[in-house]
Amino acid sequence: MNFNIKEIFTAFMVLFAVIDIIGNIPIIIDLRKKSGHIQSEKASIIAGCIMVIFLFLGQSLLSLIGIDVNSFAVAGSFILFFIALEMILGITLYKDDGDSGIITATIFPLAFPLIAGPGSLTTLLSLRAEFEIQNIIVAVFFNVVVIYIVLKTSSKIERLIGPSGIQIIRKVFGVVLLAISVKLFAQNIKALFI
């Protein structure tokens, strides 16, 4: 197994930007207030497992329905593009039901779909078209560690950074994500026409 530090770092940054755990601190705090308690370890592990399973089975599922990875990566680049627009412009294109009373907030909506949601799952398959799988797994692991730390210290982080700090971080990662989506689109659109 050859681990590539550059691939690991890039995959980590892409997933970190898409998951946007820092930008989701206000949502996490709100969930904590509504449910009373969030199990940080459980939420992190479940989200990590969902991402790794999808990384392995996602491609087989696509093959089963007749879609190649490059087409999925192009579709994923559009999702990343719209997520980036949401982050930069402060608009909401994707609206969730928000019905978290049925299942504990730790699993739904925190682990899925907030952390391991459509954006991060699409991103994983898009990354798989470009990077070695072991590097993506390491990047997922590091993201799970960061997610756990943020979940454990979310109220302290909010007090430290403040609402305007969270907004600045969100916009910076939005621009990074926008650039990544354009790169992903450009690289995979070529493969479709060759």
Side-chain angles (χ1 to χ4, degrees), residues 148-194:
Y148 171 74
I149 292 167
V150 170
L151 290 177
K152 264 300 196 210
T153 60
S154 57
S155 50
K156 291 177 187 170
I157 291 171
E158 190 193 34
R159 282 195 302 272
L160 184 72
I161 298 174
S164 57
I166 290 171
Q167 285 302 318
I168 291 166
I169 290 169
R170 225 176 129 80
K171 291 191 187 314
V172 168
F173 277 104
V175 172
V176 169
L177 195 58
L178 192 63
I180 290 164
S181 72
V182 170
K183 181 185 174 201
L184 210 58
F185 177 81
Q187 285 181 337
N188 287 285
I189 200 78
K190 288 178 199 168
L192 292 176
F193 294 108
I194 293 174

Side-chain angles (χ1 to χ4, degrees), residues 64-104:
L64 190 68
I65 56 176
I67 300 171
D68 63 284
V69 177
N70 295 111
S71 299
F72 197 81
V74 169
S77 72
F78 284 115
I79 291 174
L80 294 181
F81 180 80
F82 290 120
I83 291 171
L85 285 182
E86 283 185 344
M87 291 167 73
I88 296 165
L89 302 176
I91 56 173
T92 305
L93 299 170
Y94 171 74
K95 192 83 172 157
D96 200 11
D97 309 13
D99 186 19
S100 58
I102 301 166
I103 306 170
T104 174

